[in-house]
Amino acid sequence: MSQSSPRVLVVVQHDGTHCSPSTLSTFSAAQQLATLCAKCPIDALLVGYQCQPVCEELQQLGIINQVNLVDDEWYVHPLSERIAPVVAEVSQRYSHVLSSATTFGKDLMPRVAALLDVGQLSDITAIESADTIIRPIYAGNAYARVQSSDPIKVMTVRESAFDNIQPTEGSTTVTRLQRVNSPISTEFVGQIMTESARPDLTSAKVVVSGGRGLGSKENFTLVETLADKLGGAIGASRAAVDAGFVPNDLQVGQTGKVVAPDLYIAVGISGAIQHIAGMKESKVIVAINNDPDAPIFEVADYGLVGDLFTIVPELIENL
Amino acid sequence: MKILVPIKRVIDPYIKVRVKADHSDVETNNVKMTINPFCEIAVEEAVRLKEQGIADEVIVVSAGGSQCQEQLRTALALGADRAIHVDTEDKIEPLVVAKLLKALVEQEQAQLVITGKQSIDTDNNQVAQMLAALLDWPQATFASDVKIEDQKVQVVREVDGGLLTVAMNLPAVISTDLRLNEPRFASLPNIMKAKRKPLDTITPDSLGVEVVFSQTIQEVTPPAQRKGGIKVESVSELLDKLRNEAKVIS
């Protein structure tokens, strides 16, 4: 099991070329944790195939003591059945194992925790001490302070709750490890990614989201044009996704993405609890809706009651 | 093929939860309870697989106090064949749930487990993955499409950035996303019929699982309230506020 002195491991999410922005937030959480553990070392675990560029990127951060690198064709696709055994093996040398609360980390880390016979702390938003964290429950309608007595603390970190790290001067060693085979034969069949030139939804400074009020897929271009004018990302409510206006990975809310931009503009969104849970940490919220009683106005800093089909074009015109 | 579907009793998702004055938990007394919506989707998917002739039997299981039998009866009314209630305290942790389920999978010789991707109370999103690890089975989490043919399962998964498709051999664990299906309503005759379907109560002991707790909830607090905003009259006023007051656009 874990050694007595604390050591923090971050399991890196990447695309073979870059580590994900969510991983940088996870390193920020790891830095906080390390500070609370008498400046204990932070290591990284990088599992992939031909992921040397990611390894170099990690070394440049300066905060990582050691990168544990497992580079093997076996890991060409991020399948948790393959990755979890090697993460679990490496994790035994650590007191804390962190990854991002993205679909990557959510899929992988509970599998790792079970292999280690420990619990998991999901989607944490703050760290109070080496064994105590804060996490949202009930779709962010309450926050729980949770203490864990597990010998290895496995956690996933909510990206929007931690800033990106500031790179520092420091030297990082790289240790190459062997792959760990698993008899499970899950096959990768394919993936369809949503193409977008806009900033990533979870890390954008400005997000413009559309809801059912837009009425059609064609009308969603209003949201896109406004987002482009502001250099922002586009998001959507579940109603807009279910109506087929946009793909589901743009959904903001409890069951979709959680965002915390500087400016969030909700267009034609009524503001169901599930949606509010995904955006209420935004610095400034603007709501544009024709229903003055829509719940979205209760969380909006600036509300504009009226027809979005006249308001949004006017906004675009004046920006 | 037998399908095991774990379900959880939770506060109705359309109810605004209130934190108790002593900050020990949220208020659950006299609050409407329901099947976790993701679990309902799991039940629906299993029942559809039975209707397609792929599954022979759908077994629903819930761990918790005796009140979760209500939700098991609802699942039986939706088309599950029989129910197992594992009598425990209400707040057992995901790893213990996974261990109970592992024992049940082995006892029942189930070939497929379909769970919800997360419960809307604790929002953990862990049980399916932990169960798959304990059984050493493949997992397909956040499923939005499931196809089963000749002991092979093809699942479309909702991941950040799009959709990812995997193929697994049975036995396997699947967790459901919201878009997998639209659950049916239970008809009155089916609700009546469900009362006669078997519902067994067992203990964790009988499954050889020890209920342990490794996490302590020290305090539950309401989220920081956003201060009430203002309504502006025009687009120009809005832009002026965003530029000069909030300073979020240039």
Side-chain angles (χ1 to χ4, degrees), chain A residues 114-153:
Chain A
L115 293 175
L116 295 168
D117 197 30
V118 297
Q120 178 184 285
L121 300 160
S122 292
D123 222 3
I124 67 163
T125 53
I127 299 167
E128 298 222 320
S129 73
D131 66 0
T132 306
I133 57 86
I134 308 286
R135 58 178 304 268
I137 54 175
Y138 292 96
N141 288 302
Y143 281 78
R145 189 165 80 226
V146 187
Q147 185 191 36
S148 162
S149 62
D150 280 316
I152 304 173
K153 274 113 184 129

Side-chain angles (χ1 to χ4, degrees), chain B:
Chain B
M1 176 175 71
K2 277 190 199 177
I3 306 180
L4 194 73
V5 183
I7 63 170
K8 187 175 184 186
R9 172 184 169 91
V10 297
I11 293 181
D12 186 289
Y14 297 101
I15 283 175
K16 193 159 173 54
V17 296
R18 280 183 305 115
V19 172
K20 283 184 181 172
D22 67 0
H23 287 187
S24 61
D25 197 358
V26 301
E27 190 58 70
T28 49
N29 278 339
N30 299 316
V31 171
K32 190 182 171 207
M33 305 295 280
T34 181
I35 299 189
N36 179 44
F38 291 102
C39 301
E40 209 175 356
I41 292 166
V43 173
E44 175 67 30
E45 194 65 18
V47 171
R48 287 186 191 188
L49 289 169
K50 192 185 170 192
E51 287 167 348
Q52 290 163 29
I54 292 167
D56 309 310
E57 190 179 30
V58 176
I59 306 163
V60 285
V61 50
S62 192
S66 58
Q67 288 174 310
C68 68
Q69 291 186 8
E70 272 175 47
Q71 278 62 47
L72 287 169
R73 287 285 173 208
T74 308
L76 292 171
L78 293 170
D81 296 293
R82 63 187 168 93
I84 301 170
H85 167 217
V86 187
D87 194 10
T88 66
E89 291 171 61
D90 272 326
K91 293 194 171 162
I92 57 173
E93 291 170 14
L95 185 60
V96 175
V97 175
K99 286 177 179 175
L100 293 168
L101 290 171
K102 175 182 190 259
L104 279 168
V105 162
E106 285 164 354
Q107 183 179 300
E108 298 290 343
Q109 293 291 302
Q111 283 253 285
L112 181 64
V113 179
I114 310 180
T115 78
K117 77 166 178 183
Q118 73 189 64
S119 63
I120 57 154
D121 50 359
T122 52
D123 288 337
N124 278 315
N125 195 333
Q126 296 175 6
V127 169
Q129 298 88 317
M130 287 179 161
L131 175 63
L134 297 177
L135 288 164
D136 215 4
W137 284 8
Q139 68 188 44
T141 51
F142 332 136
S144 61
D145 188 62
V146 174
K147 282 196 182 66
I148 300 183
E149 233 173 303
D150 305 331
Q151 296 292 301
K152 275 261 186 192
V153 195
Q154 183 154 316
V155 179
V156 179
R157 302 181 49 228
E158 297 200 5
V159 296
D160 296 332
L163 300 169
L164 191 155
T165 306
V166 292
M168 313 181 289
N169 291 324
L170 286 173
V173 179
I174 293 171
S175 81
T176 64
D177 218 317
L178 282 172
R179 271 160 221 90
L180 180 58
N181 61 47
E182 195 129 349
R184 68 194 68 188
F185 292 99
S187 65
L188 190 59
N190 284 344
I191 293 170
M192 299 310 288
K193 253 192 269 175
K195 290 185 178 165
R196 294 193 303 274
K197 289 185 178 176
L199 191 163
D200 295 323
T201 295
I202 59 171
T203 62
D205 269 356
S206 72
L207 294 170
V209 176
E210 194 190 350
V211 177
V212 291
F213 294 85
S214 72
Q215 297 178 0
T216 316
I217 295 183
Q218 296 182 327
E219 189 184 29
V220 174
T221 49
Q225 290 299 309
R226 292 190 73 91
K227 61 178 167 55
I230 56 161
K231 284 197 177 135
V232 294
E233 293 302 320
S234 65
V235 167
S236 56
E237 191 187 347
L238 174 64
L239 286 171
D240 176 62
K241 296 278 187 196
L242 290 179
R243 285 194 177 109
N244 303 315
E245 195 176 272
K247 296 188 172 39
V248 283
I249 58 171
S250 50

